[in-house]
Amino acid sequence: MQIRKGTEADIEALAALYDGLNDYLSCHVNYPGWIKGIYPTREDAARGVEEGCLFVAVADGSIAGTVILRHRPEEGYRKVDWKILLDDQEVFVVYTLAVHPRYLHMGVGKALMEFVLTYASRMHMKAVRLDVYEKNLPAICLYEEFGFQYMATVDLGYGMYGLDRFRLYQRLIPSQPEDA
């Protein structure tokens, strides 16, 4: 599996991944609470590609998964005591970690999380933060497995979609010695 920055040529495949995943979730347990046509959408993929912060995991020539890494947190993050004061530019915030239904339970989510942490270290970030819907137990287990620490539960303003409580997590990134 290769993980690389998403390109404009990937946008249609990402839109199909999001729609396919939302269709899958509508027939199974919808742990993240995502809604087709609401989130995630083609526009989310296009914005991530345009901002240069969307990454894709490619397996067998197809996009198996994706993640967006921004410096800009949701407003609800500002209400939390993160135990360390950091500027937004020192933090990656994980958005839209998604795995295509054909690749579920094949290690794509773990590969994306490994990439996030390695990339954060390479980019000299001091922390990675994320939010997860409080009932998204598979994602919570994944994040905790990767050493993310629970910080708080907050309302991020998505109550109109039945998503009112999100768990916030943080993983501090150890500083790397400069190359000699």
Side-chain angles (χ1 to χ4, degrees):
M1 180 175 342
Q2 174 197 15
I3 299 178
R4 61 168 172 78
K5 270 198 178 178
T7 67
E8 202 170 306
D10 296 322
I11 293 173
E12 291 309 319
L14 288 161
L17 182 154
Y18 293 158
D19 285 346
L21 181 55
N22 278 320
D23 289 343
Y24 175 88
L25 292 171
S26 71
C27 298
H28 297 82
V29 179
N30 187 349
Y31 289 106
W34 289 352
I35 302 168
K36 188 173 183 177
I38 302 293
Y39 185 82
T41 64
R42 180 189 189 289
E43 291 72 26
D44 296 307
R47 189 170 29 263
V49 167
E50 180 182 311
E51 294 172 2
C53 62
L54 182 144
F55 297 86
V56 294
V58 179
D60 305 321
S62 297
I63 296 178
T66 182
V67 65
I68 294 173
L69 297 175
R70 290 194 171 101
H71 294 291
R72 181 176 69 248
E74 297 277 338
E75 277 306 308
Y77 283 49
R78 307 248 186 248
K79 303 172 190 170
V80 172
D81 177 7
W82 293 97
K83 310 291 186 215
I84 182 171
L85 185 61
L86 297 173
D87 182 74
D88 286 350
Q89 295 305 308
E90 298 175 299
V91 177
F92 275 144
V93 180
V94 174
Y95 287 89
T96 324
L97 179 79
V99 176
H100 192 287
R102 276 195 321 259
Y103 294 93
L104 290 173
H105 311 293
M106 297 176 71
V108 176
K110 286 183 179 186
L112 284 166
M113 287 310 304
E114 287 170 2
F115 168 80
V116 165
L117 296 174
T118 300
Y119 186 68
S121 178
R122 261 194 4 243
M123 300 305 291
H124 306 288
M125 295 295 109
K126 295 193 175 166
V128 175
R129 294 175 178 165
L130 57 84
D131 60 79
V132 58
Y133 178 51
E134 70 177 352
K135 295 181 182 174
N136 189 346
L137 300 180
I140 289 169
C141 288
L142 176 68
Y143 302 142
E144 289 179 353
E145 179 181 329
F146 275 88
F148 282 81
Q149 298 296 311
Y150 169 77
M151 302 305 291
T153 299
V154 298
D155 181 347
L156 293 177
Y158 299 107
M160 71 280 258
Y161 304 113
L163 306 169
D164 53 355
R165 298 185 48 81
F166 288 81
R167 294 173 59 100
L168 299 185
Y169 283 86
Q170 173 174 257
R171 164 87 189 262
L172 297 178
I173 305 298
S175 59
Q176 299 294 314
E178 294 297 323
D179 293 333

